[in-house]
Amino acid sequence: MSEKQRVLSGVQPTGNLHLGNYLGAIRNWVEIQSKYDNFFCVVDLHAITVPHNPKTLANDTYTIAALYLACGIDLEYSTIFVQSHITAHSELTWLLNCITPLNWLERMIQFKEKALKQGENVSVGLLDYPVLMAADILLYDADKVPVGEDQKQHLELTRDIAARINDKFGKENEPVLKIPEPLIRTEGARVMSLTDGTKKMSKSDPSEMSRINLLDPPDLIQKKIKRCKTDPIKGLTFDDPERPECHNLLTLYQILSAKTKQEVALEGQDMGWGQFKPLLIEAVIETLKPIQDKYQEIMDDKNYLDSVLREGAAKAREVANCTLVRVKNALGYLPPL
Ligand code: TRP
């Protein structure tokens, strides 16, 4: 066993990633990756818990894997793989399903919200989404799971499921499953919507103008920032509760330009939006350009990308199958003959 702690996280192949996903999640994974043994998964089984498009699923899966690499996930420290390539995810989900009380799932906030949005066509899979996520995490004996605020309840559930398995089927000093910890960033990059400074930038916002996608071309980035919501006040300041958009755009600029808050506050204090927006546009384009170039290079070389995912799956499968056998043994199954 490697002495590094293990990290596991995943992104769904639905739509493409935006600046909030990058600054709030993937950039942090890149920063910490050398300290851990990392598994980064494209969670394509989760992608069908709401109605999906079979024509785009495979390509969206490639897109997320290529973006992982383009954002700087390094294969020296990290394993990149596709969830559906490892059958143990589905199989462990079934086993966990049978020990998870229904009411634990019915009270999940994200389920309630998504179910409300969908009306009548809610699938069993949507309810079961957190159990599949628990299987993702528990199969790899993950020590740490980097998650945002919105996924904390799912991680709590994962811990509860693991504890229940250990309690029912483990021996005194021999737990069946490792109980994972959340990895919460101390200083957060919470990127807000461009059309409403009080809401998080989100994939599910119906307005494309509310977010900057990592693959948006420069002219579209320019258009989105030019039209984003601001206020008529001259002189830009942080931390004014009356000016959430102003605070967010300055913060975004600060993160992207790697300046300190004081520097940006000084720079912006006498500026109007007409002066500031070109600076922000420039900073966003400059940050995304190397990612977009690398992404294109990788997507143009499918043989390479396939080999990354093939090798990733081989590594992941070995770890996952080992855990699956451990769980099946603990549950008392007759081993395959
Ligand atoms: N539910 C997570 C999200 O939407 C994605 C996810 C699936 C995940 N499996 C995971 C995240 C395991 C961390 C660990 O963001």
Side-chain angles (χ1 to χ4, degrees), residues 8-12 43 46 83 110 114 129 132-133 136-137 145-147 150-151 154:
L8 181 131
S9 202
V11 170
Q12 287 194 53
V43 290
H46 281 103
Q83 185 189 34
Q110 198 170 73
K114 286 191 184 176
Y129 178 116
L132 178 59
M133 180 165 160
D136 297 342
I137 296 166
V145 183
V147 282
D150 63 324
Q151 296 296 315
H154 290 163

Short mmCIF file of all heavy atoms in Angstrom, two decimals, residues 8-12 43 46 83 110 114 129 132-133 136-137 145-147 150-151 154, ligand 1:
data_model
loop_
_atom_site.label_atom_id
_atom_site.label_comp_id
_atom_site.label_asym_id
_atom_site.label_seq_id
_atom_site.Cartn_x
_atom_site.Cartn_y
_atom_site.Cartn_z
N LEU A 8 -10.24 10.89 -3.89
CA LEU A 8 -11.10 10.57 -5.03
C LEU A 8 -12.10 11.70 -5.25
O LEU A 8 -12.68 12.22 -4.30
CB LEU A 8 -11.88 9.28 -4.80
CG LEU A 8 -12.77 8.94 -6.02
CD1 LEU A 8 -12.62 7.52 -6.47
CD2 LEU A 8 -14.23 9.32 -5.80
N SER A 9 -12.26 12.07 -6.52
CA SER A 9 -13.36 12.98 -6.83
C SER A 9 -13.84 12.73 -8.26
O SER A 9 -13.22 11.95 -9.00
CB SER A 9 -12.94 14.45 -6.65
OG SER A 9 -14.11 15.24 -6.47
N GLY A 10 -14.95 13.34 -8.60
CA GLY A 10 -15.53 13.08 -9.92
C GLY A 10 -16.33 14.26 -10.43
O GLY A 10 -16.78 15.12 -9.68
N VAL A 11 -16.48 14.28 -11.76
CA VAL A 11 -17.29 15.30 -12.43
C VAL A 11 -18.19 14.59 -13.42
O VAL A 11 -17.78 13.64 -14.09
CB VAL A 11 -16.39 16.32 -13.17
CG1 VAL A 11 -17.22 17.23 -14.06
CG2 VAL A 11 -15.57 17.15 -12.19
N GLN A 12 -19.43 15.06 -13.51
CA GLN A 12 -20.37 14.46 -14.46
C GLN A 12 -20.14 14.97 -15.87
O GLN A 12 -19.90 16.16 -16.06
CB GLN A 12 -21.79 14.85 -14.08
CG GLN A 12 -22.31 14.17 -12.87
CD GLN A 12 -23.82 14.35 -12.76
OE1 GLN A 12 -24.56 14.07 -13.69
NE2 GLN A 12 -24.26 14.82 -11.63
N VAL A 43 -17.92 10.69 -14.05
CA VAL A 43 -19.02 9.89 -13.51
C VAL A 43 -20.20 9.81 -14.48
O VAL A 43 -21.23 10.42 -14.31
CB VAL A 43 -19.46 10.36 -12.10
CG1 VAL A 43 -18.38 10.03 -11.08
CG2 VAL A 43 -19.77 11.86 -12.04
N HIS A 46 -23.68 8.54 -13.27
CA HIS A 46 -24.50 9.59 -12.66
C HIS A 46 -25.21 10.43 -13.73
O HIS A 46 -26.28 10.99 -13.48
CB HIS A 46 -23.65 10.51 -11.78
CG HIS A 46 -23.34 9.94 -10.43
ND1 HIS A 46 -22.12 9.39 -10.11
CD2 HIS A 46 -24.11 9.81 -9.33
CE1 HIS A 46 -22.15 8.96 -8.86
NE2 HIS A 46 -23.35 9.20 -8.36
N GLN A 83 -16.13 6.08 -15.00
CA GLN A 83 -16.88 5.27 -14.02
C GLN A 83 -17.50 4.02 -14.63
O GLN A 83 -17.38 2.92 -14.07
CB GLN A 83 -17.97 6.17 -13.44
CG GLN A 83 -18.80 5.61 -12.31
CD GLN A 83 -19.96 6.56 -12.01
OE1 GLN A 83 -20.49 7.21 -12.91
NE2 GLN A 83 -20.34 6.66 -10.75
N GLN A 110 -30.43 17.53 -2.41
CA GLN A 110 -30.30 17.62 -3.86
C GLN A 110 -31.36 16.79 -4.58
O GLN A 110 -31.88 17.19 -5.61
CB GLN A 110 -28.90 17.19 -4.29
CG GLN A 110 -28.57 17.67 -5.68
CD GLN A 110 -27.11 17.47 -6.03
OE1 GLN A 110 -26.66 16.35 -6.26
NE2 GLN A 110 -26.36 18.55 -6.05
N LYS A 114 -33.90 18.37 -7.23
CA LYS A 114 -33.93 17.89 -8.62
C LYS A 114 -35.27 17.25 -8.95
O LYS A 114 -35.77 17.38 -10.06
CB LYS A 114 -32.80 16.87 -8.86
CG LYS A 114 -31.43 17.49 -8.96
CD LYS A 114 -30.43 16.45 -9.46
CE LYS A 114 -29.01 17.00 -9.48
NZ LYS A 114 -28.03 15.97 -9.86
N TYR A 129 -28.82 8.11 -6.63
CA TYR A 129 -27.60 8.85 -6.99
C TYR A 129 -26.57 8.88 -5.85
O TYR A 129 -25.39 8.56 -6.05
CB TYR A 129 -28.03 10.25 -7.40
CG TYR A 129 -26.99 11.26 -7.77
CD1 TYR A 129 -26.92 11.78 -9.06
CD2 TYR A 129 -26.08 11.76 -6.83
CE1 TYR A 129 -25.98 12.73 -9.41
CE2 TYR A 129 -25.14 12.70 -7.18
CZ TYR A 129 -25.10 13.19 -8.47
OH TYR A 129 -24.16 14.13 -8.81
N LEU A 132 -24.70 5.54 -5.37
CA LEU A 132 -23.68 5.35 -6.40
C LEU A 132 -22.45 6.19 -6.09
O LEU A 132 -21.32 5.73 -6.24
CB LEU A 132 -24.28 5.73 -7.78
CG LEU A 132 -23.35 5.65 -8.99
CD1 LEU A 132 -22.79 4.25 -9.20
CD2 LEU A 132 -24.09 6.11 -10.26
N MET A 133 -22.68 7.39 -5.62
CA MET A 133 -21.54 8.25 -5.23
C MET A 133 -20.78 7.64 -4.06
O MET A 133 -19.54 7.68 -4.01
CB MET A 133 -22.05 9.66 -4.90
CG MET A 133 -20.96 10.62 -4.50
SD MET A 133 -21.55 12.33 -4.55
CE MET A 133 -20.32 13.11 -3.50
N ASP A 136 -18.60 5.00 -5.44
CA ASP A 136 -17.41 5.59 -6.09
C ASP A 136 -16.30 5.81 -5.07
O ASP A 136 -15.13 5.51 -5.32
CB ASP A 136 -17.73 6.99 -6.66
CG ASP A 136 -18.77 6.99 -7.76
OD1 ASP A 136 -19.01 5.93 -8.33
OD2 ASP A 136 -19.34 8.08 -8.02
N ILE A 137 -16.70 6.37 -3.95
CA ILE A 137 -15.72 6.79 -2.94
C ILE A 137 -15.18 5.58 -2.17
O ILE A 137 -13.97 5.41 -2.00
CB ILE A 137 -16.37 7.78 -1.96
CG1 ILE A 137 -16.76 9.06 -2.72
CG2 ILE A 137 -15.44 8.09 -0.78
CD1 ILE A 137 -17.70 9.99 -1.95
N VAL A 145 -12.05 13.38 0.27
CA VAL A 145 -12.88 13.66 -0.89
C VAL A 145 -13.08 15.17 -1.02
O VAL A 145 -13.78 15.77 -0.19
CB VAL A 145 -14.26 12.96 -0.77
CG1 VAL A 145 -15.09 13.19 -2.03
CG2 VAL A 145 -14.08 11.47 -0.51
N PRO A 146 -12.43 15.78 -2.01
CA PRO A 146 -12.63 17.22 -2.18
C PRO A 146 -14.02 17.48 -2.75
O PRO A 146 -14.32 17.04 -3.86
CB PRO A 146 -11.54 17.65 -3.19
CG PRO A 146 -10.99 16.40 -3.77
CD PRO A 146 -11.50 15.22 -3.01
N VAL A 147 -14.85 18.13 -1.99
CA VAL A 147 -16.20 18.43 -2.46
C VAL A 147 -16.59 19.86 -2.10
O VAL A 147 -16.07 20.44 -1.16
CB VAL A 147 -17.27 17.50 -1.83
CG1 VAL A 147 -17.28 16.14 -2.47
CG2 VAL A 147 -17.13 17.42 -0.32
N ASP A 150 -22.25 21.93 -1.81
CA ASP A 150 -23.47 21.25 -2.26
C ASP A 150 -23.37 19.72 -2.17
O ASP A 150 -24.39 19.04 -2.26
CB ASP A 150 -23.81 21.67 -3.70
CG ASP A 150 -22.73 21.25 -4.69
OD1 ASP A 150 -21.54 21.30 -4.32
OD2 ASP A 150 -23.07 20.89 -5.82
N GLN A 151 -22.17 19.20 -1.99
CA GLN A 151 -22.01 17.74 -1.94
C GLN A 151 -21.72 17.23 -0.53
O GLN A 151 -21.50 16.03 -0.34
CB GLN A 151 -20.89 17.30 -2.89
CG GLN A 151 -21.17 17.59 -4.36
CD GLN A 151 -22.36 16.81 -4.86
OE1 GLN A 151 -22.52 15.63 -4.58
NE2 GLN A 151 -23.25 17.47 -5.59
N HIS A 154 -24.01 14.50 0.72
CA HIS A 154 -23.74 13.19 0.09
C HIS A 154 -22.54 12.50 0.73
O HIS A 154 -22.50 11.28 0.86
CB HIS A 154 -23.51 13.35 -1.41
CG HIS A 154 -24.76 13.72 -2.17
ND1 HIS A 154 -24.73 14.24 -3.44
CD2 HIS A 154 -26.06 13.63 -1.83
CE1 HIS A 154 -25.97 14.46 -3.85
NE2 HIS A 154 -26.80 14.10 -2.88
N1 TRP B 1 -22.08 14.30 -7.18
C1 TRP B 1 -20.85 14.95 -7.55
C2 TRP B 1 -21.17 16.33 -8.13
O1 TRP B 1 -22.17 16.51 -8.78
C3 TRP B 1 -20.10 14.15 -8.57
C4 TRP B 1 -19.59 12.88 -7.99
C5 TRP B 1 -19.98 11.62 -8.26
C6 TRP B 1 -18.54 12.78 -7.02
N2 TRP B 1 -19.25 10.71 -7.57
C7 TRP B 1 -18.39 11.38 -6.79
C8 TRP B 1 -17.77 13.72 -6.34
C9 TRP B 1 -17.45 10.93 -5.86
C10 TRP B 1 -16.85 13.26 -5.41
C11 TRP B 1 -16.68 11.87 -5.17
O2 TRP B 1 -20.36 17.22 -7.99
#
